[in-house]
Amino acid sequence: MSEKIDRATKREFAKIGMTAALGIAVLTAPLLKRNRRLKNLHTGAGVALVALGLWHHFLYQPKKRKAGTAFPAAADESAREALPAPAADPAP
């Protein structure tokens, strides 16, 4: 039961949650003045939408490297060799 959920599945959960929260907020909007419970549900759906939106945003950020780690020097050298030499500007 200690299986980790992959990032793609977490993204899907966030999208489904955002859709549900937005749907609840839209459906309860016309009924705000009539019922106190629906007003609280509407507010909760808005808060959930913001929280799920932030979670969704952070799921698309690249993973940060640990401090002190750098790219291997061999990879830098091969990348530099693959670039063409800069062309000289023609004289006007």
Side-chain angles (χ1 to χ4, degrees):
M1 194 77 192
S2 65
E3 298 175 18
K4 288 189 176 182
I5 300 173
D6 64 334
R7 191 174 272 210
T9 305
K10 289 179 184 178
R11 289 175 182 169
E12 287 299 316
F13 285 155
K15 289 176 189 176
I16 291 168
M18 286 178 10
T19 304
L22 182 61
I24 292 170
V26 167
L27 291 175
T28 57
L31 308 171
L32 289 178
K33 292 185 179 180
R34 296 183 193 167
N35 193 340
R36 179 79 174 169
R37 250 187 231 158
L38 288 178
K39 185 175 182 179
N40 290 339
L41 180 63
H42 180 81
T43 304
V47 170
L49 181 60
V50 170
L52 288 164
L54 280 172
W55 183 40
H56 183 258
H57 169 74
F58 287 121
L59 286 173
Y60 279 91
Q61 299 302 312
K63 291 185 178 180
K64 292 186 177 181
R65 297 177 150 253
K66 292 182 180 179
T69 60
F71 292 107
D76 279 341
E77 293 300 321
S78 64
R80 288 183 194 157
E81 292 172 2
L83 295 174
D89 290 333

